[in-house]
Amino acid sequence: MTTNHDQFNQIMSIMRRLRAPGGCPWDAEQTHESLKRYLLEESYEVLEAIDSGSDDLLKEELGDLLLQPVFHAAIAEERGAFTMEDVLATLSDKLIRRHPHVFGDQVIKDSEAQVANWEKIKKAEKGEERRSALSGIPPHLPALMKAQKITEKASRVGFDWEHVDQVMAKVLEELHEFEEAMEQGRQDRMEAELGDLLFAIVNLGRFLALDPEEALRKTIARFQNRFSYIEDRLHANERHLQDASLDEMEALWVEAKSRENS
């Protein structure tokens, strides 16, 4: 049986072989830029595996996700920039440095205090004063996730509501303004007000400790499952969606929803 260290060396050796002359042409052609899409895709496939509840699928998808840093490290190694050993050493140092309450004598009372301390240490590590309290948010995050990160950072410096009722009132206010924009028929204002409404809903989710990105992702999955149920029921009777009335589809939708609840 190989050790974990041997297994890690083996996967790096496989990647080097794939990119070497006589290896795999596709692997050899990849760059940091070309691989960006796969990093995102594999991350979302891990989320899907978690939702499935299958340990075998999660194990497989985690391996696919791990392949991405292995790939990037191999490319960087070829450029003489850094190696996978450097990546792991940097990560180990960071984890120890940012958990002084575990690896040192600092006392942290709860997870909220740990988040604040993490941000403080991270800020000191950068060696410069950030110009904004909202700095440090990756620009390519999905919009809902980015909105949540922004509102979290604003909240830490006191720019926040005191009660959830205030947040709910803001959601209703933005909904009313969106309705006004619809009545005016102005596309530009409707877009702006829809954005404001979504942002307010993200704030509501944060206030209630709900992840809006995860909530929407699960809603999409439910919609897909219910819609597939409608298609399957119609196909079982040798019919297509185009043949069914809206009332028929709505009745099957309610049926699919009831099956979920039961």
Side-chain angles (χ1 to χ4, degrees):
M1 178 180 291
T2 57
T3 65
N4 291 338
H5 189 263
D6 290 337
Q7 290 170 334
F8 207 89
N9 286 337
Q10 182 182 25
I11 194 64
M12 288 303 304
S13 296
I14 291 172
M15 178 52 66
R16 294 184 187 109
R17 178 71 183 89
L18 290 172
R19 288 183 55 83
C24 174
W26 186 89
D27 288 286
E29 291 173 359
Q30 300 313 304
T31 65
H32 293 305
E33 284 294 320
S34 70
L35 289 171
K36 288 197 303 188
R37 56 169 288 195
Y38 300 106
L39 182 59
L40 285 173
E41 288 176 6
E42 297 299 350
S43 297
Y44 282 108
E45 288 184 11
V46 169
L47 295 182
E48 185 178 358
I50 293 172
D51 289 344
S52 75
S54 169
D55 289 331
D56 286 340
L57 184 58
L58 179 58
K59 177 178 63 176
E60 179 183 351
E61 294 301 341
L62 284 173
D64 290 346
L65 180 59
L66 179 60
L67 175 61
Q68 297 308 304
V70 167
F71 221 140
H72 284 283
I75 295 171
E77 183 179 76
E78 294 164 7
R79 296 189 292 109
F82 57 82
T83 67
M84 178 54 82
E85 286 73 17
D86 296 328
V87 173
L88 295 175
T90 300
L91 175 59
S92 295
D93 291 343
K94 180 187 292 186
L95 288 174
I96 293 172
R97 191 170 60 249
R98 294 190 183 179
H99 292 85
H101 57 296
V102 177
F103 301 101
D105 55 6
Q106 187 173 358
V107 176
I108 299 291
K109 62 179 182 178
D110 53 32
S111 60
E112 184 177 349
Q114 164 57 15
V115 171
N117 196 54
W118 178 285
E119 289 295 326
K120 180 181 178 181
I121 296 172
K122 185 176 179 181
K123 184 176 179 180
E125 288 173 356
K126 300 300 179 181
E128 58 183 21
E129 188 71 24
R130 287 180 172 171
R131 290 175 296 175
S132 171
L134 303 182
S135 296
I137 298 175
H140 298 302
L141 283 178
L144 287 178
M145 190 180 298
K146 189 173 185 179
Q148 184 181 21
K149 292 286 187 183
I150 286 175
T151 59
E152 286 173 353
K153 284 182 173 286
S155 175
R156 289 184 195 131
V157 294
F159 192 74
D160 203 359
W161 286 278
E162 294 180 355
H163 306 290
V164 69
D165 291 346
Q166 296 171 308
V167 192
M168 192 66 209
K170 183 63 176 176
V171 171
L172 296 176
E173 175 190 327
E174 297 296 351
L175 177 60
H176 178 66
E177 291 180 3
F178 179 69
E179 290 172 337
E180 289 181 342
M182 286 180 61
E183 291 172 0
Q184 295 174 1
R186 287 183 50 188
Q187 197 72 17
D188 58 340
R189 192 182 167 206
M190 279 192 287
E191 180 184 62
E193 295 300 343
L194 180 61
D196 290 347
L197 176 59
L198 290 170
F199 196 83
I201 290 173
V202 168
N203 252 321
L204 179 62
R206 175 185 58 82
F207 226 83
L208 296 172
L210 299 170
D211 185 337
E213 187 80 22
E214 182 72 3
L216 181 57
R217 196 172 63 82
K218 288 180 177 178
T219 292
I220 292 170
R222 287 194 297 272
F223 181 93
Q224 290 175 311
N225 290 335
R226 293 170 188 172
F227 198 83
S228 294
Y229 179 82
I230 295 173
E231 291 179 310
D232 291 342
R233 285 294 307 275
L234 289 172
H235 289 164
N237 294 315
E238 299 183 350
R239 300 180 66 201
H240 300 283
L241 288 171
Q242 294 85 346
D243 303 326
S245 68
L246 181 58
D247 287 342
E248 286 180 286
M249 289 190 283
E250 179 64 26
L252 289 172
W253 176 275
V254 172
E255 190 176 304
K257 187 175 180 180
S258 297
R259 287 167 61 90
E260 288 177 6
N261 295 333
S262 62

